Amino acid sequence: MSAFDLATTEADARLRTLLQQPETEPGAFTNFWGSAMNALQAAPLEAARAVSPVLDAYRKAGQENVQQAARMFEGTAEASFDALENRTVYDDSENVVRTNLTSSITRLTPDPRVTGMASQLVFGLVKSAGKAVGYSMVGGPIVGAGLYGLDEG
């Protein structure tokens, strides 16, 4: 075997990969049950992601209160609220919980390249229904409808 034979074998392999038929579209019901199960997991994660900015704001406000109390005990507290007026609870850091929940939801969302159209529709419907039922269980039918509307809106 010569170096020329190796070069033609490599060229043949490249041509074969170029001439391969394109991948076919997935069937309409491909990964149907997997999408439904993923939707049941994604529904509470999306509900938690919707509430996380409010909880994060309370956390940051609580941290600011603790820091202010510590400065007061040290005798370095700010004399007036004028300096505190321009501060907001969003100054400190990013909402890490929301970032982690978003990556988990993205992982659970079906990929259109390998999941059929019916499976994608089922994912959306089951996820939406799961959130509606969850909100209704927490706050009753009227409050649940309002929470669901706020979440989806």
Side-chain angles (χ1 to χ4, degrees), residues 15 19 24 26 35 68 87 91 94 96-98 126 135 144:
L15 284 174
L19 294 175
T24 59
S35 293
Q68 182 67 20
R87 290 190 191 168
D91 288 342
E94 190 173 318
V96 178
V97 174
R98 185 175 178 85
V126 169
Y135 285 136

Side-chain angles (χ1 to χ4, degrees), residues 126-149:
V126 169
K127 182 179 71 171
S128 187
K131 287 196 298 186
V133 167
Y135 285 136
S136 294
M137 288 174 61
V138 169
I142 295 173
V143 173
L147 290 173
Y148 176 73

Side-chain angles (χ1 to χ4, degrees), residues 36 38-40 42-44 46-47 120-136 144 148-149 151-152:
N38 284 350
L40 290 175
E46 277 203 5
Q120 293 174 39
L121 290 172
V122 162
F123 177 82
L125 290 173
V126 169
K127 182 179 71 171
S128 187
K131 287 196 298 186
V133 167
Y135 285 136
S136 294
Y148 176 73
D151 184 11
E152 289 295 319

Side-chain angles (χ1 to χ4, degrees), residues 41-52:
Q41 295 172 16
L45 293 177
E46 277 203 5
R49 184 176 67 175
V51 175
S52 70

